[in-house]
Amino acid sequence: MTTDSGELTRDSTGEPGDAASSLRVAKSVSRPFYLYAVLANSLFQRGVFVLYLGHQGFSAAQIALLQTLLYVVSALAEVPTGFIADRVGRRASIVIGQALIGACLLGQVTLSGYAAFVVLFALQGIGMACVSGAETALLYDLLRRRGAETHYVKVKSRYATFGATTMALAIALGGSLQQISWELVYLASAIALLLAAAVLLTRVPEIRGEDAAALDEAAEAADEEAGGSSSGPAASTERAGASLGKAAVLRHLTPRLASLVVVSALMHATMTPYFIFTQETLSHQGTATTLVSVVMSAGYLIGGFAPLLADRADRRLGVHLLVPLTLLVLVAALGFTGLGLAWLTVGVFLLAVGVPDITAVVVDNVFNEGVPSRYRASLLSIITFVESLLIGCGYLALGWLVDRAGPSHGLAWYALVPALALALSVPALRKGTWVKGEKTG
């Protein structure tokens, strides 16, 4: 449990074999996170922000640069903001991040001029970095503290579903709110983020880096008592002296884990720009604007419900099959888009947006299970750093390809990115250890 001083011990709720008790605990831990997911994803401006930036007089190139700036700053900010999550607290990091993002959204409807928006998008990137990684680390370690971490995939799947479904509905409502005023769209989003932060402050306990380390020590002690570990005095001393932070993570991760981090990042760097540029591609292929919006909304809904299949996919296929299959789906979807057939582009797009969301949950669980709690927030920050950096590069690369080859053929050439990820996934899919000195996975 967590005390006012930040001291944390592992709850012994239920016996290890008491599945019903463990499930009840998982439900009690996850409920406030589900409410948080709904509020944090009530971003009504998400589906119309490009139109708003155009309304401000910005060109397509300027808008693309703002998006690239957002992800690059978020990537660079992962290093310092990870300190907040590990030392000050994971809940504190999320609250600071959501408050900063909300303030930036308000700034976008009260300030004008490209220079002001450059500053606002940069600050929003810092806010995104504060939130990223900390959410997953906080959820997983709270489940672990109560002995219910075996339910993480199911909980995270539902968490992702609540978030994505809410996002789809918010996109639909955002267009209606815009008919009243742009200010209302952005104000409603900012209020939702502040309410999400309030839910965490009032209903979710804090976990700091030392609390996570205590969880590791308790688990290691239990393993030694059960005879499941023969660490010895030297190893115990090394664990006790292990430093927190990204330097420790980089010293301990293996090429296998590093490969999976890059592959996961490339998967996101494929999907995120692909989702945005599909709008222009469908329009170029003769699809009406109203139908394009319906396809985008359907994509968000599919992405919202797809993670519900993650638990079953993990048990039946596992990460070793899901990763290459997902990358092959992305290669095929981008390739078929190059044929210039609108109906085919829609079909492969709707398939492509669902499969990666399933795989992302399973890969996320691999990261959490394979890495000790004392490294978790830092590792997730590193992962998000790599993802954000590659997404930013992906926007620039795909934008250049679309300008040079056209929307359809530009997306087809972009299939080289998931193909590269498929080649790099070989080390990650082999048997071995994820972290040096830890158990195999």
Side-chain angles (χ1 to χ4, degrees):
M1 303 294 290
T2 304
T3 65
D4 292 337
S5 63
E7 186 177 334
L8 182 144
T9 58
R10 187 180 178 88
D11 197 331
S12 57
T13 304
E15 294 297 324
D18 190 352
S21 176
S22 177
L23 182 59
R24 285 195 298 271
V25 168
K27 288 180 178 179
S28 68
V29 170
S30 61
R31 285 191 191 103
F33 280 93
Y34 294 155
L35 177 58
Y36 166 81
V38 169
L39 292 169
N41 286 279
S42 295
L43 301 176
F44 302 96
Q45 90 291 348
R46 187 67 177 268
V48 293
F49 81 94
V50 173
L51 300 178
Y52 176 69
L53 295 176
H55 175 72
Q56 290 290 310
F58 303 149
S59 66
Q62 288 176 315
I63 295 173
L65 285 175
L66 286 176
Q67 282 294 99
T68 300
L69 175 67
L70 180 72
Y71 282 100
V72 170
V73 169
S74 178
L76 296 176
E78 285 295 334
V79 175
T81 57
F83 176 86
I84 300 176
D86 276 334
R87 305 298 175 89
V88 180
R90 293 165 185 180
R91 185 185 66 181
S93 181
I94 299 169
V95 170
I96 292 171
Q98 297 291 23
L100 185 55
I101 295 172
C104 289
L105 293 179
L106 292 178
Q108 291 177 35
V109 289
T110 56
L111 301 175
S112 61
Y114 194 71
F117 274 75
V118 167
V119 174
L120 289 172
F121 270 68
L123 291 175
Q124 186 173 337
I126 296 174
M128 289 168 54
C130 288
V131 175
S132 67
E135 293 173 320
T136 297
L138 181 62
L139 173 59
Y140 187 87
D141 279 333
L142 286 174
L143 288 170
R144 190 180 184 207
R145 186 190 74 178
R146 303 290 299 277
E149 65 268 32
T150 56
H151 298 285
Y152 173 77
V153 171
K154 183 179 293 183
V155 170
K156 182 61 186 292
S157 298
R158 292 176 178 174
Y159 175 87
T161 297
F162 277 118
T165 304
T166 301
M167 181 74 76
L169 295 175
I171 287 174
L173 289 174
S176 300
L177 292 176
Q178 189 276 326
Q179 298 299 315
I180 301 174
S181 72
W182 284 112
E183 289 78 10
L184 181 59
V185 175
Y186 280 79
L187 177 61
S189 299
I191 291 175
L193 293 180
L194 293 177
L195 290 175
V199 168
L200 290 186
L201 285 173
T202 57
R203 300 188 59 183
V204 176
E206 181 65 283
I207 286 187
R208 301 175 179 85
E210 60 267 25
D211 300 328
L215 282 174
D216 287 335
E217 292 169 3
E220 288 160 0
D223 286 343
E224 290 175 2
E225 289 178 5
S229 171
S230 55
S231 7
S236 299
T237 302
E238 181 183 351
R239 285 195 301 267
S243 62
L244 299 175
K246 293 170 181 58
V249 175
L250 294 174
R251 286 197 302 269
H252 286 79
L253 61 80
T254 62
R256 184 188 183 206
L257 182 58
S259 172
L260 187 59
V261 169
V262 174
V263 169
S264 176
L266 286 173
M267 184 176 71
H268 287 280
T270 300
M271 200 60 235
T272 305
Y274 171 39
F275 195 98
I276 298 300
F277 278 93
T278 295
Q279 301 173 37
E280 182 178 351
T281 302
L282 286 174
S283 178
H284 183 263
Q285 293 175 355
T287 306
T289 302
T290 53
L291 183 55
V292 171
S293 64
V294 171
V295 173
M296 294 300 106
S297 180
Y300 268 104
L301 286 175
I302 291 173
F305 285 100
L308 294 176
L309 301 174
D311 189 36
R312 181 178 300 177
D314 188 22
R315 285 185 279 106
R316 294 190 176 184
L317 298 176
V319 70
H320 301 88
L321 287 177
L322 277 174
V323 168
L325 287 175
T326 300
L327 295 172
L328 286 173
V329 166
L330 291 175
V331 170
L334 289 164
F336 283 128
T337 300
L339 296 178
L341 302 174
W343 63 268
L344 183 59
T345 298
V346 170
V348 296
F349 170 76
L350 295 179
L351 173 63
V353 296
V355 178
D357 284 307
I358 298 173
T359 305
V361 174
V362 176
V363 171
D364 183 52
N365 188 55
V366 170
F367 289 142
N368 280 299
E369 287 185 341
V371 178
S373 290
R374 60 183 175 270
Y375 303 140
R376 183 164 295 116
S378 292
L379 173 66
L380 294 176
S381 290
I382 290 173
I383 292 170
T384 307
F385 167 80
V386 177
E387 287 180 359
S388 298
L389 193 60
L390 291 181
I391 289 172
C393 294
Y395 270 112
L396 292 177
L398 185 51
W400 183 83
L401 287 171
V402 168
D403 284 340
R404 294 283 177 163
S408 298
H409 291 97
L411 285 177
W413 277 107
Y414 200 62
L416 291 172
V417 175
L420 173 62
L422 184 61
L424 294 176
S425 68
V426 174
L429 303 181
R430 293 177 177 174
K431 294 292 184 180
T433 59
W434 294 112
V435 179
K436 294 175 184 176
E438 301 292 334
K439 63 183 180 181
T440 59

